[in-house]
Amino acid sequence: MRSPVSGIVTLLGLLLVVIVGYMSLFTVAQTEQTIVLQFGKPVDVVTDPGLHFKAPWNSVINIDKRILDLENPSQEAIASDQKRLVVDAFARYRIKDALRFYQSIGSIQAANIQLTTLLNAALRRVLGEVTFINVVRDDREKLMQRIRDQLDHEADGYGIQVVDVRIRRADLPEQNSQAVYLRMKTEREREAAEFRAQGGQKAQEIRSKADREATVIEAEARSLAEQTRGVGDAERNRLFAEAYGQDADFFSFYRSMTAYENGLRANDTRFLLRPDSDFFRFFGNPSGKTATTTPAKP
């Protein structure tokens, strides 16, 4: 028979094996890289994800290998034309050498502090070499590339690779922005007043030209109308003359009837004429001939 003591020893041995085996295994996630430490000193760097082995007395430190964000507070910089700028920038970086990173900085929090200092210095150096217009409009992409290259070069000693640097906003300080805004507003108002004055002058020229052309067209139309009326009157007189030549008595009768029609209108039939006037010759004689009086014989 086995004694109780041997069973306890066997159980303790199995427990010790389990503990040692557990302490000898560690896992590496896909988003991490691991440094194996032996008595505080790094002895290995594991970047492949999965299950790995180590000595039971060794410890591990996991370091993120994803692209990390660095949000930089707004900073003031002075351009080469001595204009002050408020620059809001951010960076993207990743840890490419875990061992160097651990030996030089040690943590992501410390890396953010160090990179913020380096980023601000790079911003001031690069932006101090160009003008305000280059920053806000002309060469923004090139300037961000230069800042990224400088920051990447300085961060390389810490095992860090700077992926990208972006200037989110680059503008004048608030008081300067207000002054520029008021100056731009005044300039736009002056230009608007000038445009309105030019438009009023142009409108007056167009109206004057239109009035002049209208006067000329009206005069030409009136002249043409008078000419046409004169031609019509001449044609009418010619026709009347021909008609008169064909039948003088009828023409005289027609003229008299027209005169009666025009003269004897409704509510106004008063004439200051002698009864024996030639105007009334068709009232006494339908032929319009004046009756001749035969002188009395002696």
Side-chain angles (χ1 to χ4, degrees):
M1 290 181 61
R2 297 177 59 186
S3 65
V5 175
S6 63
I8 293 174
V9 171
T10 302
L11 181 61
L12 292 176
L14 290 175
L15 181 61
L16 180 62
V17 170
V18 171
I19 293 174
V20 171
Y22 177 77
M23 294 179 63
S24 300
L25 296 174
F26 68 95
T27 58
V28 178
Q30 291 183 347
T31 60
E32 295 177 339
Q33 48 192 332
T34 301
I35 300 177
V36 181
L37 302 177
Q38 181 175 330
F39 306 117
K41 295 182 179 181
V43 294
D44 192 13
V45 177
V46 181
T47 58
D48 296 330
L51 186 63
H52 298 271
F53 294 91
K54 65 179 181 61
W57 55 84
N58 290 348
S59 61
V60 296
I61 295 178
N62 296 322
I63 298 177
D64 203 328
K65 65 178 181 180
R66 294 173 295 183
I67 294 178
L68 304 176
D69 297 335
L70 176 65
E71 292 293 337
N72 190 44
S74 298
Q75 299 290 327
E76 282 197 3
I78 300 178
S80 62
D81 53 2
Q82 301 305 311
K83 289 187 177 180
R84 297 170 57 199
L85 295 171
V86 177
V87 182
D88 183 9
F90 64 92
R92 300 287 185 266
Y93 71 95
R94 68 181 184 87
I95 300 170
K96 66 176 182 179
D97 190 335
L99 181 59
R100 187 185 302 177
F101 175 81
Y102 174 75
Q103 292 174 336
S104 59
I105 294 184
S107 67
I108 293 179
Q109 291 76 11
N112 287 339
I113 295 174
Q114 184 65 26
L115 288 177
T116 298
T117 302
L118 297 177
L119 176 58
N120 291 334
L123 283 171
R124 291 190 177 94
R125 280 196 305 269
V126 174
L127 300 184
E129 298 174 357
V130 296
T131 63
F132 172 76
I133 297 300
N134 295 128
V135 177
V136 299
R137 188 186 65 187
D138 294 342
D139 299 326
R140 193 159 181 165
E141 287 291 334
K142 296 179 180 178
L143 295 176
M144 291 189 295
Q145 183 65 33
R146 288 178 56 190
I147 295 171
R148 191 207 71 81
D149 293 342
Q150 291 191 18
L151 182 60
D152 181 59
H153 177 72
E154 295 176 350
D156 184 68
Y158 302 106
I160 295 174
Q161 177 186 9
V162 178
V163 178
D164 192 18
V165 172
R166 290 287 165 178
I167 297 177
R168 184 183 291 112
R169 182 179 69 91
D171 204 352
L172 295 172
E174 183 64 24
Q175 59 272 23
N176 293 25
S177 298
Q178 290 296 329
V180 172
Y181 171 75
L182 292 177
R183 185 168 66 250
M184 293 174 62
K185 181 180 178 182
T186 303
E187 182 66 19
R188 298 293 88 76
E189 290 177 348
R190 184 191 64 78
E191 291 180 356
E194 183 178 351
F195 289 149
R196 282 193 293 269
Q198 293 177 355
Q201 180 181 359
K202 192 67 176 179
Q204 184 62 37
E205 292 177 357
I206 294 174
R207 281 194 293 268
S208 300
K209 182 179 179 181
D211 293 341
R212 184 170 62 254
E213 291 179 353
T215 301
V216 172
I217 293 173
E218 183 179 359
E220 292 177 350
R222 187 178 295 109
S223 174
L224 181 61
E226 293 295 333
Q227 294 176 8
T228 305
R229 188 178 295 110
V231 172
D233 289 344
E235 182 66 17
R236 183 192 62 180
N237 293 335
R238 186 186 65 78
L239 295 175
F240 279 160
E242 291 180 357
Y244 182 78
Q246 292 178 4
D247 192 341
D249 293 337
F250 175 78
F251 185 76
S252 178
F253 175 77
Y254 174 76
R255 293 290 299 273
S256 296
M257 293 300 104
T258 301
Y260 294 158
E261 180 182 6
N262 295 330
L264 301 176
R265 296 186 179 276
N267 301 323
D268 189 9
T269 58
R270 291 173 296 178
F271 283 93
L272 297 177
L273 297 173
R274 293 173 54 190
D276 58 349
S277 172
D278 187 60
F279 182 77
F280 295 109
R281 65 183 183 276
F282 285 99
F283 280 83
N285 189 345
S287 64
K289 297 180 178 179
T290 302
T292 57
T293 56
T294 306
K297 294 181 179 181

